[in-house]
Structure formats: C-alpha cells, structure tokens
Amino acid sequence: MGAQILSLFPAANFSLIAVILALPLLGAFVNGVWGKRLGNDAVRVMALSAVGGSFLASVVTFIALASHVDAHIEGDHHEHVKLAWTAWQWMHTKAGFTGGNIPIDVRFSVDALSGVMMLVVTGIGFLIHLYSTAYMAEDPGFARFFAYMNLFIFAMLTLILADNLPVLFVGWEGVGLCSYLLIGFWYEKMPNAAAGKKAFIANRVGDFGLICGMFLLASYTGALDWTGIANGIGSLKDTTQDAYLIHVWPVGGGQYQGIFSFLQPHNPLTITAATAVGLALLLGCTGKSAQIPLYVWLPDAMAGPTPVSALIHAATMVTAGVYLICRLSFVFTLSPFVMMLIASVGAATALFAATIALVQNDIKKVLAYSTISQLGFMFLGVGVGAFTAGFFHVFTHAFFKACLFLCAGSVIHAMHARVHDDERAQDMRYMGALRKHMPITYWSFFASTLAIAGCPLTSGFFSKDEILYRSWVDHSVNPFADVLTRQKLEMFVPPQWLGPALYVVGVLAATLTAFYMFRALFMTFWGDEFRGWTIGRPSLVAAHASDDHDHHHDDLSVPGAAPKESPWQMTVPLIILATCAVVAGLIFNAGPINIPALHSMDHWLEPVFEPVARTVRLSEGAEGLTWPLAGGGILAFIIGTGVAYWMYIMEAGRPAEALADAAPGLYRLLLDKWRIDELYDATIIAAVDALADTSAAFDQTIVDGIVAKVPALLVSLFGSILRAFQTGVVHVYAAFMVIGLAFFGWFFVFPHPAATVTAVGKDTGDYIVTAAPGMGYQYRWDADGNGQFDSERTSDQMSVKVHLDEGKTQNVRVEATSAFGFSNSAAIPITRAASVKPMQLGLN
Amino acid sequence: MITSDNYVALSAILFGIGGVGFLVRRNVLVTLMSIEVMLNAVNLALVAFNRARPDNLTGQMFAFFLIAAEAAEVAVGLAIVLSLFRIKRTVRTDDADLLKN
Amino acid sequence: MVWVGQVYFYVCAAVAILGAVATIVSRNPIRGAMGLLLMIVSIAGLFLALNAQFLAAIQLIVYAGAIVVLFLFVIMLLGPSSMAPRDKRGLVGRAIGGTVFGIAVADALWLTRHVVGMPMRELDASFGSIDAFGHTLFSDGIVPFELSSALLMVAVVGAVAVARGKQGEEAHTPPSGQPGLAGVATSGTSPASGFADVRATRLEGHGHSK
C-alpha cells in the first residue's frame, strides 16, 4: 500500500505534506474569522475535522515513508531517506567562508524522526481537541480557543516537518506565539496575561540563542538545511582556518594595552566554533524545553486551560528543544563540552524540579514541575549520546503526561461544579476519595502514574531506564580526536566520574518522581472521604437544589452532589492515552529487552543517528551492567512508591506535617520554588529597569533638553530679530527697498573687474584671459605684467593673449571703467607649472 | 539746443521729487499722488527718447499704456484707501499695521 | 527764434517742478491735488514740444480729467480726516529713506553731467499724430491694447469689490462731527427732518445708526 501512495506522490515532491499542514491552518482561519458567527457546533466540527484529517494524512504519509524505507534496505543497513516537498523559494543569502549562495526555500521533509513526531502531534492533538470540546463547552471564547489550538498544531507541524533552520524557526516562533495566546486565554484576569507574557519573553531569550546558532552555522557550513549542514560540518572542525577558534576573552582576539592591561589574561580564553554553535543552540533549547535557567515560565503557564497544558506543555511544544537537539545531533556531538553541559543541565533540572514538586499543593503545579523534571531526563538522555533513548522518552512522555494533565482537568472540571475559586478547585488538599466517584479518571491517572514512576513493563520504565543506563556507560568521543592529537591541539575530555555522577542524580530524581506522583495520586483519589464539600444524601440535595444555581455564592458548608465523572468526550481520550502509556513501551521499546520481529524504535531511528553513532563509545563491561543499573531504576520506583504509601495512606499525612514543622525554612524554600523568580526579579529585571531608567533620563535631559530645545531657541531668537523688520507699515518696507536699491546701484556704478584664464592647447604656454562683461564697461589691459597699462584709452577689448615660459608667473592686470567714469582694476596671476622631467635611469 | 538729456534730466528730477515724497510723507493720499508724479516723469522720459529716435512710435505707445495701467492702479488704490479708512478711520500709513510681525 | 523753444521748455519744466514739489509738500491734500494738476498740465505741454500731440491730449483727458478728479472725490469723501495731524513718529525711518533716495538721484544726475544728449532732428507733422498713433497701436500694439482693456475691466471690478465692503456695513461718521458726506453711503435714518440743525440730526443719527 505504501508503494501505491508513493506512486501517487513521488518521494521528492510529496505534496501530501501540504495537506497535513494546510488543514489545521484552514481550521484556524475559519474558526478565527467566522467562529463566533458559525456557532459552537460548527466550530467543533471544523476543528476536529481539521486535526483529524491532518492525522489521517500523517498516517498515510507514515505508511508511505515506511515503504520507502523498506525499499532502501540493504541487508541490515537502512539508508536515511526522507519524503520532501518544496512549497516555494523564499530567499537566499550569501554566507560561508567561500561566500557562496545559500538558497532558503520553504521546504518540508518527513524522515524517520519527524515521522514519529508528526504522528504524536496530530494524534494526541486530535484527542485533546476532542477532550476540549467538552471541557470548554461553556466558555464564551469557544471559537477563539479552537482557532488558537489549530494554529498551534499548524505551527508545531511546521517546526517538525521543516527541512531547514529558517522554516523551523518560523514554527518555533509560531508555537511560542500560540503558547502565549493560549496561556493568556482568559486574559481578563491580570495574572493570566502576565503568565502569557512571561512565557513569551523567556522563550524569546532562548530564541536569541537559536538565531545566533543559525548565523554561526550559516557562516561556517555555508548551508541552513539539514543535508547541507551535514555536508559542510567539516569547516566547524577545520583547524587550519583562523575561525576555528572563537576568542571569548580578550574579545575578538585583540590585546588590552595601556590602562586596560590589567584585563589581559595570561592565557586567552577561546572556544572552538563547534562549542560556540552548540552553546547558542542549547540556549534556544533550554528556553523552549524549560530547562535551567529558562524554565521559569512553565509553572506560570498553568494559568491557561488544562487542555492547553496537556497539549503544549506536556506533549509537544516543550519537546521541540529535544527534537532540535536530535535533529542537529551531528553538530552537538562535535563538541564534547556541550554534550556534557546538556547532560548536566538535564540532570540538574530533573533533580531541582523534582524537589519543588514534593511540596506543591496545586495539582497542576505538581504536573508542571514533573514536566520540567522529565524534560531534564530527556536532556540527560541526549546529552550522553543516547539520542534514541532520549527521543523514546519524548514519545512515551507525550502519552503519559498528556493523560495525567487530562485527568487533572477532568477532576478540576468536576470540582468547578461547586467550587468557583480557581485556586481552590485545583488544590489537592480539598480533594480525596475521588476514585469512588470518578473511576475512569482514576484508572487512567493510575496507569499514567505507574508509567511516569517507572513501574517495570510500562513505557516509562523502558525509556527512563534506558536513559539511566546509558548515562553511566556512555562516553563521548570527539569525532576528530585523531586529527587533534596529531596537531597537538587542545581537546576537552569529560571527567571519568561524570557518568556515574549523572546516574546517581538521575536515580535520585526518579525516586523523587515516584514519590511525588504517588503523593498526588493518594491525595486526590484515595482517602476515606472527599474534602471539597460534604456530599449530601439525595434528599438533602433536593432540598437545597436552589443553592446550586447561585454560582457566585455557593456555600460549601452546605452538602451538595458528589463530583461527577466527565462526559465521554473527556473520558475516551483518557482511556486511549492511558493504554498507550502502558503498552507503548512493550511495542516500541528501545531498551535492553528486545522483542524481535517487531520494529523497535531504536531500529527505526537508526539511520537518522548513524552519523553520531561513532561519537559514543560504551565503556567496557557495559553489557554486564545492564541488569544492575536497571535494578537501580526499579529500586527507585519501589522506594518512592513505598514511602509515599507509608506517608500518606498508612500514616495519613502526619510524617509530612512533622517534617514541615521540623524544617520550616527548607519547607518554605521548596514551596516558593527556591525563590528563583524573585532572584531573577532582583538581578536581571532590575538591571533592565535601571538601564531603562537611565535611557529615559538621558532622553529627557539631553535629547529633549539640548537637541530639541536648543534649535528651538535659535529659531525663536532669529525669529524675533526678523520680526522687528515686519512692522506692517508700507513706508518702512519702501525704505528698505530703497536701501537695497542703493546697494544695487553702487554695484553698477563702481565696476568690479574679474577675468577667467583658459589655456590654449595642452602645455603650449599660451593663455587667453577673458574679462567678465558688465554694463557699459570699457577695459584697459596690462598684458605683459610690467605694471603699466598698455594703452591710454579704454576700449571694448575683452580678452588678451599671454604667453608664458615654463615655471614662470605673470601678473596680468585689467582695469574696467563703468559708464559713470569710475574705474577699478584687478590683478590676475597666471602660473605655468614647470614640467617634471622624467628620471634619468642611467640608461642611454 | 534742447536735446534729449534736458528732458531726461527733468524726468530724473521729477522722479526724485516723487520718490522722496513717497518715502517721507505719511498721508496715504499724498503717497498715491507722489506715485503719479513718478509715473509722469517716466512717461516724459519715454516720449523724449522716442522723439530722439523716431524710427517708430514705440515709446509713445508705451507711455499710452502706462497711462492706462496707471489709471487702473489709481482706481484700485483709492478703493483700498477707502477700505482702510472704513476700518481704521485714518489716512496715515503708520496706522495700517495690521500685518505687523 | 530758436530761443522760443528753449524758453518754452524751461518754463514748462519749472512749472512741472513747482507742481511736483507742491504735491509732496502740502499738508492739505486738496492743495496737493492742485499741484498734481499743475504738473500734469505742464507735462502735457512738454509732450506737445516732443511731437506727441495725441499723447498730450490723452494726458489731459485721462490724467487731469479723470484721475485728479477721482482724487478730489475721495478727498472730499474722506472729509477733514483726509488731513493727518502732524506728529513725529517714525521720523527717523522716513528721513533716512527719503535722504538716501534723494542723494541717489542727485548723485546720478551729477555723475552723468557730461553725458552728451541725442539731438532732435526735424520731423514731419505726421509723427505722433492720431493717424500714425492709431496705425501703430492697432498693429504692433494690438495685444497690449486688448490686455489693457481687460486690465481696466479687472480694475473696475476690483475697485468696486474693495470699496463696497460688507453688505449692510455702515460707514463711520467722521469723529469731529462736522457735516461731511461720510454718512451718505449708508444707514436708514435719513436726516430729512433735520435740515435746520444738522449737528443735532447728526447726533441723533449717530444714536440710531449704531
């Protein structure tokens, strides 16, 4: 069947991609422009069909890709194939060391990596759209919501399917924009708008890094699309070029002299170009994927509706950073330093976020910090060179995290029936015993919690354990190690203890993950009674039925109906996602447990990561460490779950309170998210504010004061002088006219002789002196320069011819007499330059 | 012998008188009359030159048109004087300073 | 009898200068108008000496007969306020302007004192006659002729428009209260009932006409 599809759409011009992209865009446009007029039902149909159609097209594309891959198998070796489609030629630029032309086209391609992501985005996107039709049913901004959601799907697909960096950047910015729009969806409330802004600005800081990375790649490799960069990658490690090293301090490779000489370091600090590119791109990825230092927007992003959190901040947008690292894996692996940095940042973030999630009471905040922590795991995976494992974790995380968020949304939806304060509706301290009232939600949440905690045989187990295993055994190898050692150049080698250290941190984070996820589960769904409101008996409910209608003053001390299970549009996606969360690992596992004859993810992604396979070396005895290291992961799960069970079920939360009382400072610090937001406020934002204040002061005093006021003063000064002339009385004007006329007349009465000298021929020594004409002028000449006029009488002769020898100067005088009898004379010096004799070379 | 320079000198003298009167006097009617004097002086010069070179009658024709134009000018000028008087009730040019500054 | 021409010239010149000086010097504008008239007549006489018969006639008809009369009309219309009282304001500016101009003219005359003029040869009588003038006017000068007719039309319309003022605006009565023709152009109250006491009527009209 794939072959039939390929015959319809050739692999080089696979225009079905246009359908995948165009359907969500069309949905966004129609819902955005005419949504309100069309009504909720039409909007729902439009949005669902747009994403559903896109999903179907994605499936068809994937089948075509699979058959295309099968057609290019040689033995066990896959070729890296992709289906591409060019929309139009966008622009071109000159870059690269050779100054070559880089054409930038709007071009999309589907290969093994982007094929999987595409299915994930459209599939989970469709389920979340279905969920939102029930969740947002009563919201007045229904049409606007679906317009934004469809637009987000379009932008995310642009990002994933892009064939070059500029188009990816368009998608990158697009998802940032949609994230802003959707976080601040209920913009009437100030905190929601502020959260949207924070997300956008934090992303923007990262985008700066991405742009710098783009520029560096374009100028070094001379290309911006994946194949081009791969081809030109050699120049990043070309040690013969001057640009191989980028001078960080002193900046630009100069020398500090004179009074600045104290700044001059002993050894100039340089980084390789590959490291620079990696750092720049890493900044972009930390912004989008919420790692340290740019993670601060993700917890605040919970201000948006829960489906938004599920789609954007769990499954898709935040994984864009990991996707970029996988995409440009061959660039990152050039620099072992950057790889170490990625892994360290990932591990640190995983642990850091897990500690914050331990004490949060808002269920969405717990899930937000859990997302940050899991993203840290993904970064850890790709940072140690386990790209397939990291990407597999992206794949599984999409399922269980989306499921977790949707379950939380289901619970909040039920709470909102009586609780209208947003914070209280999400507070886990007011939930409990919901497994009796909302069974489907409970079982989905339970399944996903098992997955995230790493319960064996769930998908989370396979992905997380693979990452932990590889972090111990992987060692980065510099792909150009032999060249560098031959040239005796510096080479960064990560320390030997890095692997085990990362493993330990990872296991610790996994333990904390299991603990806080089960804590959330127990607080929300277990327990003896529901803490939100008293659940009244049916007779009491009927008597107080009228209370339910007063939405703003619902007295929670009055008994009310039990929290209800959500409608089918919400529960069906939960079931589907929970099932995938559990079984995806078994089907697509990339771990050591291999079920042969099933196309595993590892095998599928092999051609994509083939170039980087030789940059990773497994340490000796790696095979034997498989089960012991996996055991560490299982132990983490057991300890975390066990402690949570003991603390919250057996001891009903008392140890938690005792710990909080014993270390109140630490507890507050964790609850306040380590006060990082306040730190940023005090340092960076304060610095920007100070700069803004300085600029404002400069603008007001100097620019407004001097540049604007001084010319104004000058103009008014001259104006007052000139105004004195405008008396308005005609006589005065006439008097001025007469004075002007008198000057004019003086000019005519007294002659002003002037003459021009023109040379005859070239260097003949003959010059013609021509006098300027005037009214009634008569002339007398002194052509030979002897000081006496040649004739006594004046005549009409206006020009005279003079001959000069070389190097001589002669003063010709002319006297003009006007008709009134006044005469005036002027002297005209003529010089003839001495000619330069050619140098005698001594040759005759 | 009366030659053309006699007439031109007379024209210059009359022109000078008219010009001084225009610049010095403040009564707008006297100013207009001084303009008449100046124009007559110019007419005289034109006709005198034409008499000195009687190839054609251009000079006299010019003077003729000057008289016609000058008549128009006097009419409009006096109308303006009347308007000024109506507004400011004065015939002094000093007081016609509505365009001051 | 050649000296007759010279005497005629000098007499006419003297009268012209006298008239011009009278124009610019007199305080009473009526005297000035009379001086102007004198000058015009003497210029007409000089035209006759220059074989410009037609022009002399035109000068008398248009200048003396229309322009000076127009001046007199306006002077009478303005009444006594056509005479501005003496005061010394702005004397410096005027004095400078006049002096500079006068010196310039005198200087020009002085500088060209030895210039030899062009002699006037004998001419036949048809030079400057109506025939010759008409010929030239309607051949070489046809365009300026038509244009000047348009100019005169424009001047008439313009003068009417400027002098008319706004509709219904009333002319101010002269401040000194002396009977003048200033109130003729306007107001409803006709002093028909007040021939005997013009002043009282004027005051009464004054009260009404506001």
Side-chain angles (χ1 to χ4, degrees), chain A residues 292 452 573 638 666:
Chain A
I292 294 172
I452 195 175
I638 293 173
L666 184 65

Side-chain angles (χ1 to χ4, degrees), chain A residues 723-724 726-731 733-735 738, chain B residues 22-23 25-26 31 93-94 96-97 99-101:
Chain A
R723 213 179 305 130
Q726 307 285 330
T727 53
V729 181
V730 175
H731 267 158
Y733 297 159
V738 164
Chain B
F22 171 77
L23 289 168
R25 287 302 301 264
R26 219 185 352 211
T31 310
T93 54
D94 280 356
D97 60 357
L99 282 179
K100 189 177 166 101
N101 293 342

Side-chain angles (χ1 to χ4, degrees), chain A residues 757-796:
Chain A
V757 179
T758 45
V760 174
K762 215 165 129 55
D763 205 28
T764 54
D766 285 333
Y767 297 92
I768 292 187
V769 184
T770 312
M775 238 170 49
Y777 281 13
Q778 305 245 312
Y779 303 96
R780 258 199 321 167
W781 291 93
D782 170 26
D784 44 17
N786 56 6
Q788 284 182 338
F789 287 109
D790 302 335
S791 65
E792 280 297 317
R793 305 174 66 85
T794 63
S795 63
D796 285 335

Side-chain angles (χ1 to χ4, degrees), chain A residues 325-337:
Chain A
I325 297 182
C326 289
R327 225 342 138 214
L328 287 176
S329 51
F330 48 86
V331 173
F332 284 99
T333 52
L334 287 179
S335 170
F337 176 73

Side-chain angles (χ1 to χ4, degrees), chain B residues 3-5 45-55, chain C residues 50 117-121 123 127:
Chain B
T3 55
S4 68
D5 57 338
L46 275 167
V47 175
F49 279 126
N50 196 10
R51 174 68 175 83
R53 289 200 196 244
D55 303 326
Chain C
L50 286 171
M118 298 183 275
M120 318 252 200
R121 58 176 191 267
L123 293 171
F127 180 83

Side-chain angles (χ1 to χ4, degrees), chain C residues 24-92:
Chain C
I24 72 171
V25 162
S26 6
R27 202 165 153 252
N28 191 344
I30 302 265
R31 298 247 170 85
M34 290 301 111
L36 186 68
L37 186 62
L38 199 58
M39 195 198 91
I40 283 167
V41 170
S42 55
I43 297 273
L46 287 170
F47 279 169
L48 282 174
L50 286 171
N51 279 80
Q53 302 94 316
F54 178 67
L55 213 55
I58 291 294
Q59 168 100 343
L60 283 174
I61 295 170
V62 172
Y63 258 111
I67 291 178
V68 173
V69 170
L70 187 59
F71 264 110
L72 287 170
F73 272 157
V74 172
I75 293 170
M76 307 246 184
L77 200 59
L78 293 181
S81 47
S82 60
M83 238 172 23
R86 270 196 200 290
D87 71 76
K88 291 272 192 263
R89 281 186 323 172
L91 192 59
V92 173

